[in-house]
Amino acid sequence: MAQATPSHPTACLALADGTVFYGHGFGAEGQCVAELCFNTAMTGYQEIMTDPSYAGQIVTFTFPHIGNTGINIEDDETANPVAEGMVVKWDPTAPSNWRSSETLSSWLETKNRIAIGGIDTRRLTRAIRQQGAPHVALAHNANGVFDTDALVKAARDFAGLEGVDLAINVTCAQSYRWNEMRWAWPDGYQPQKTPKHKVVAIDYGAKRNILRCLASAGCDVIVLSANATAQDVLAHKPDGVFLSNGPGDPAATGVYAVPMIQEILKTDLPVFGICLGHQMLALALGGKTIKMNHGHHGANHPVKDLETGKVEITSMNHGFAVDAQSLPAGVSQTHVSLFDGSNCGIALDDRPVYSVQHHPEASPGPQDSFYLFEKFADYMDARS
């Protein structure tokens, strides 16, 4: 079933169930196949598109004004967009923002990413909520000619994200040191010149702002690739180990990541994980993860800290979750989503080891969750 066709359609979104949406293409021409999710954030489309956790996904933005603040190099979470494409309600307008250096459309074209506008994103979002994250094919062609049967077939042939290790595709090629702190007026990003702690960060698809938050908490950060061994980590003599966010099925990444984490857990080092890092830690401790119906993607998710009773407004981006019922003795659930009760945090009862599903670096609160980085620094202080 197709939606009403706009005049001169130049893009087409085909779902595996045969539903076809026509719209206006922008960005690069071409075709891509991916899982479709929706994100409810009102800001941060550039950060979302460059978040490595969106590998293998096309993002539907429920907020209609996408592109109105343009693009600037400071807001990239990694060097290039990682999300396969984007779906929006209205075609992007000319940007109105003093920081903008480029339009969204030209940036997407340069970065070889496909986008479609003029879509009924409310209808699409309802379909995702009701049926789960669908497999889709997105095509942009200036002549407006599409083989919809072939696109639907491509969507049906997409293998999906379950059982797929995507972290290895987005991790760093070689280790590097990070000392840039969070952006602050009027100087922008400044280096950390007096770090107190050496932290090894395992890059499963790390966002730059997470690394900045670690630096702002007083850390000298050494980033290692996702498949680093425990020997690689301990060779740096760190004061703590950080497990980053990332894409894909945690069970697949866990094949090589879990044994490394379990070796680190034999030491007394503080360990802190976010998103995929949270799921990796849970697996290493004996828990399990599950695929969610449509995941959590947005910047207004209420999460309750069970230790303090505080409710934090958080940013989330995940399609898998830790099964709280699978957590073994000695591991406590520390945070839960107030939307659906799903697990959002764990901690060892007797060790400085903890993780959260949400993104404290994304500042939706805006500072509701930064204490998690300070807690990591406090644990390292106590150990020194």
Side-chain angles (χ1 to χ4, degrees):
M1 180 175 63
Q3 73 166 15
T5 305
S7 59
H8 308 297
T10 55
C12 178
L13 178 70
L15 279 61
D17 68 0
T19 304
V20 177
F21 292 80
Y22 292 96
H24 309 123
F26 58 98
E29 291 192 34
Q31 179 180 321
C32 63
V33 183
E35 179 182 275
L36 184 69
C37 67
F38 67 87
N39 189 298
T40 58
M42 297 175 67
T43 61
Y45 55 82
Q46 182 180 341
E47 292 92 328
I48 290 165
M49 290 298 293
T50 56
D51 179 351
S53 295
Y54 280 105
Q57 293 181 301
I58 293 170
V59 184
T60 299
F61 289 87
T62 62
F63 185 67
H65 302 286
I66 300 301
N68 60 347
T69 56
I71 295 290
N72 71 86
I73 194 171
E74 287 187 327
D75 288 347
D76 286 344
E77 290 291 357
T78 192
N80 293 295
V82 181
E84 295 292 334
M86 69 189 310
V87 180
V88 300
K89 169 66 176 175
W90 292 339
D91 298 338
T93 58
S96 177
N97 177 12
W98 66 273
R99 296 176 69 224
S100 175
S101 59
E102 190 175 3
T103 67
L104 173 60
S105 183
S106 64
W107 179 71
L108 290 171
E109 183 175 10
T110 300
K111 301 297 186 179
N112 197 33
R113 286 296 183 269
I114 303 170
I116 183 171
I119 296 296
D120 185 349
T121 52
R122 290 181 299 178
R123 176 185 167 191
L124 195 54
T125 298
R126 283 197 299 268
I128 297 171
R129 282 185 179 277
Q130 293 167 3
Q131 302 167 24
H135 298 170
V136 301
L138 174 61
H140 173 200
N141 187 345
N143 64 23
V145 177
F146 303 100
D147 184 341
T148 54
D149 289 340
L151 289 173
V152 170
K153 183 180 185 303
R156 289 173 178 169
D157 290 344
F158 179 60
L161 303 184
E162 287 192 74
V164 179
D165 171 31
L166 292 177
I168 201 67
N169 297 334
V170 298
T171 190
C172 56
Q174 59 185 26
S175 64
Y176 61 94
R177 177 169 266 104
W178 184 277
N179 69 348
E180 184 178 85
M181 297 190 295
R182 292 189 299 167
W183 195 94
W185 176 266
D187 300 317
Y189 297 122
Q190 294 296 308
Q192 169 60 265
K193 296 180 179 178
T194 57
K196 295 178 61 180
H197 306 292
K198 180 185 289 186
V199 168
V200 167
I202 305 301
D203 176 17
Y204 301 120
K207 295 172 64 178
R208 289 174 176 173
N209 215 43
I210 288 179
L211 303 180
R212 293 187 187 108
C213 287
L214 289 170
S216 292
C219 301
D220 175 18
V221 184
I222 301 164
V223 184
L224 300 185
S225 64
N227 57 1
T229 66
Q231 290 74 24
D232 295 332
V233 173
L234 297 176
H236 291 279
K237 301 187 184 331
D239 299 311
V241 176
F242 175 76
L243 309 173
S244 88
N245 65 293
D249 188 335
T253 303
V255 169
Y256 56 85
V258 163
M260 181 279 288
I261 297 169
Q262 288 174 335
E263 287 298 311
I264 297 301
L265 291 173
K266 293 177 182 178
T267 72
D268 64 346
L269 291 171
V271 177
F272 173 30
I274 289 175
C275 192
L276 183 61
H278 163 67
Q279 297 160 0
M280 289 295 96
L281 179 61
L283 291 174
L285 292 171
K288 296 180 180 179
T289 56
I290 52 177
K291 182 78 163 69
M292 305 175 76
N293 179 60
H294 56 269
H296 287 168
H297 311 276
N300 59 346
H301 286 246
V303 167
K304 185 173 183 178
D305 183 335
L306 299 179
E307 296 176 346
T308 65
K310 173 185 173 183
V311 175
E312 306 165 34
I313 300 303
T314 73
S315 177
M316 286 193 178
N317 171 29
H318 58 103
F320 293 80
V322 171
D323 180 1
Q325 301 302 315
S326 71
L327 296 174
V331 182
S332 295
Q333 178 171 238
T334 60
H335 297 74
V336 295
S337 166
L338 293 185
F339 278 161
D340 61 10
S342 60
N343 174 266
C344 290
I346 62 172
L348 277 179
D349 294 341
D350 58 355
R351 298 269 301 285
V353 174
Y354 67 105
S355 60
V356 292
Q357 184 65 72
H358 51 284
H359 283 264
E361 84 289 343
S363 304
Q367 302 297 330
D368 287 14
S369 302
F370 188 73
Y371 72 91
L372 291 161
F373 293 99
E374 295 170 337
K375 180 179 182 178
F376 190 38
D378 289 343
Y379 278 149
M380 290 185 286
D381 280 336
R383 182 176 176 272
S384 60

